[in-house]
C-alpha cells in the first residue's frame, strides 16, 4: 500500500534528524513531499529528493521569510525550477495572522510565484491564514488551475469553490484535536476524492506538544476514516491517488 504525506518540512534546517525520519518513512511505505520556504531550504530539499526515492520536492518562497526576499530570489527560484525535477511550487501563500503590514509584499511574491507555476505548468501548494478570501480571489484571477490548499481552514462553501477550480483540500493534525467541530464538519462534507493528508512536520503534531513526523499520518487518516466510515486503507489509497493525479508522482 502506498501512503503519502503531501506537505512537510523534513530537512536539516527544520529537523536535525530529518534523514533518519525519511528512512523510517520508507520502511513504513510513506512517501513525502517536502515543501521549501526559501532558496536555502529549497536546495536542501532538492538534494534529499535526489538521494531518496520516497522524497518529492516542492520548492517556493514562503511568507515567513518575506522580509528578506528580493527580486533576486525569484530569479534564483526560477533557476531551481528549470534545473531540477520538482512536483509543485510550494509552499507559497499569504498569512495575516502575525502582521498585515507587509501585505503588499506578500501579495507580490504570491502572484509572481503563481505566474511561475503557470509558466512551468506546475501545481501549487498554498498556505492561507486569516486571508481566505484574498487568497481565493488571487488564485481565481490567475491562470493556475491545479493545487492543494495546505491545512485548509476556510469554510465548506469556499472549499467547494476551490475544488471547482481544480484544487484539493489538505487535512492536517488539528483534525484529531478534541472539539475541532469545524474540521469534522468540513471532512464530512467533502468527498475523500478531493482530500489530501499531510502532517506539516515538524509542526502541528496530532500528539500535542511533540515534534511531528510523517509517521503520525496514521492519526489523521484514522480520524478521516472514522468520520467517513471508510477503512483507513481506503483513505490511504484514495488520497495517494489524489496526490498522484495532482503532482504526477509516477510517470
Ligand atoms: Zn508548511
Amino acid at each position: 500500500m502506498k501512503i503519502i504525506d503531501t506537505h512537510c518540512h523534513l530537512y536539516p534546517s527544520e529537523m536535525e534528524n530529518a534523514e533518519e525520519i525519511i528512512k523510517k518513512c520508507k520502511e513504513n511505505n510513506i512517501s513525502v513531499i517536502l515543501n521549501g520556504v526559501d532558496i536555502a531550504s529549497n536546495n536542501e530539499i532538492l538534494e534529499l529528493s535526489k538521494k531518496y526515492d520516497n522524497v518529492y520536492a516542492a520548492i517556493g518562497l514562503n511568507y515567513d521569510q518575506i522580509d528578506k526576499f528580493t527580486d533576486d530570489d525569484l530569479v534564483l527560484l526560477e533557476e531551481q525550477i528549470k534545473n531540477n525535477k520538482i512536483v509543485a511550487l510550494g509552499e507559497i501563500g499569504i498569512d495575516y495572522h502575525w502582521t498585515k503590514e507587509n501585505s503588499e509584499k506578500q501579495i507580490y511574491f504570491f502572484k509572481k510565484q503563481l505566474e511561475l507555476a503557470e509558466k512551468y505548468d506546475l501545481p501549487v501548494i498554498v498556505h492561507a491564514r486569516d486571508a481566505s478570501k484574498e487568497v481565493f480571489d488571487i488564485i481565481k484571477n490567475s491562470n493556475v488551475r491545479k493545487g492543494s490548499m495546505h491545512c485548509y481552514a476556510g469554510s465548506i462553501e469556499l472549499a467547494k469553490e476551490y475544488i471547482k477550480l481544480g484544487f484539493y483540500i489538505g487535512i492536517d493534525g488539528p483534525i484529531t484535536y478534541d472539539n475541532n467541530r469545524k474540521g469534522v464538519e468540513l471532512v464530512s462534507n467533502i468527498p475523500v476524492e478531493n482530500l489530501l493528508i499531510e502532517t506539516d512536520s515538524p509542526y502541528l503534531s496530532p500528539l500535542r506538544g511533540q515534534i511531528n513526523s510523517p509517521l503520525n499520518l496514521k492519526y489523521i487518516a484514522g480520524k478521516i476514516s472514522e468520520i467517513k466510515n471508510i477503512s483507513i486503507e481506503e483513505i490511504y489509497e484514495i488520497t495517494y491517488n489524489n496526490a498522484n493525479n495532482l503532482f504526477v508522482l509516477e510517470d
Side-chain angles (χ1 to χ4, degrees), residues 61 77 109 131 138 151-152 193 196 200 206 241 245:
L61 305 173
L77 177 67
F109 277 88
I138 291 171
C151 198
Y152 180 78
E193 284 69 21
L196 295 171
D200 204 23
N241 288 338
N245 287 339

Side-chain angles (χ1 to χ4, degrees), residues 14-247:
E14 288 276 9
M15 291 177 92
E16 261 177 44
N17 58 345
E19 289 201 48
E20 209 177 290
I21 295 177
I22 287 169
K23 286 176 198 160
K24 258 188 217 159
C25 287
K26 195 173 160 63
E27 285 164 24
N28 288 277
N29 288 323
I30 301 172
S31 296
V32 291
I33 297 179
L34 306 189
N35 282 237
V37 294
D38 60 8
I39 296 300
S41 59
N42 292 344
N43 274 328
E44 292 179 32
I45 289 171
L46 293 170
E47 246 174 68
L48 290 168
S49 70
K50 282 165 198 156
K51 192 165 171 190
Y52 296 99
D53 62 5
N54 63 326
V55 171
Y56 298 94
I59 60 175
L61 305 173
N62 199 24
Y63 73 93
D64 55 350
Q65 307 290 325
I66 195 82
D67 292 336
K68 69 175 194 192
F69 293 149
T70 67
D71 279 327
D72 290 346
D73 290 283
L74 290 166
V75 174
L76 291 170
L77 177 67
E78 187 160 4
E79 288 302 312
Q80 290 180 321
I81 296 169
K82 277 196 280 194
N83 297 323
N84 296 281
K85 187 174 187 289
I86 62 172
V87 298
L89 227 64
E91 78 183 272
I92 63 175
I94 296 178
D95 191 312
Y96 290 153
H97 184 71
W98 308 102
T99 179
K100 231 183 148 168
E101 271 168 36
N102 54 17
S103 63
E104 259 178 58
K105 197 172 177 188
Q106 289 202 47
I107 293 167
Y108 173 79
F109 277 88
F110 184 43
K111 286 185 175 170
K112 283 286 178 195
Q113 292 182 91
L114 288 172
E115 285 168 19
L116 284 173
E118 187 196 349
K119 183 172 173 186
Y120 292 95
D121 193 25
L122 287 164
V124 290
I125 299 173
V126 179
H127 173 107
R129 192 173 185 196
D130 296 345
S132 328
K133 176 86 175 81
E134 184 142 29
V135 167
F136 180 75
D137 289 343
I138 291 171
I139 292 175
K140 201 171 178 196
N141 290 322
S142 78
N143 293 312
V144 174
R145 289 296 176 267
K146 53 186 175 184
S148 86
M149 295 309 296
H150 153 59
C151 198
Y152 180 78
S155 67
I156 295 168
E157 292 69 33
L158 191 65
K160 290 181 176 167
E161 293 299 314
Y162 272 117
I163 292 165
K164 273 191 223 157
L165 281 190
F167 278 65
Y168 289 81
I169 304 299
I171 305 296
D172 297 60
I175 189 69
T176 66
Y177 298 166
D178 288 343
N179 306 320
N180 186 354
R181 250 183 280 159
K182 201 182 160 196
V184 170
E185 218 162 276
L186 173 76
V187 170
S188 313
N189 280 280
I190 304 293
V192 188
E193 284 69 21
N194 302 114
L195 300 180
L196 295 171
I197 49 175
E198 41 175 58
T199 62
D200 204 23
S201 302
Y203 309 105
L204 299 180
S205 179
L207 312 167
R208 279 192 201 245
Q210 293 191 18
I211 293 173
N212 202 5
S213 108
L215 301 166
N216 290 333
L217 214 49
K218 59 180 183 250
Y219 298 111
I220 299 162
K223 183 69 186 186
I224 297 174
S225 141
E226 183 192 310
I227 297 169
K228 294 290 200 190
N229 202 15
I230 298 173
S231 73
I232 192 165
E233 289 78 13
E234 273 176 278
I235 301 294
Y236 284 139
E237 190 186 336
I238 298 168
T239 54
Y240 181 89
N241 288 338
N242 295 343
N244 194 23
N245 287 339
L246 177 59
F247 300 113

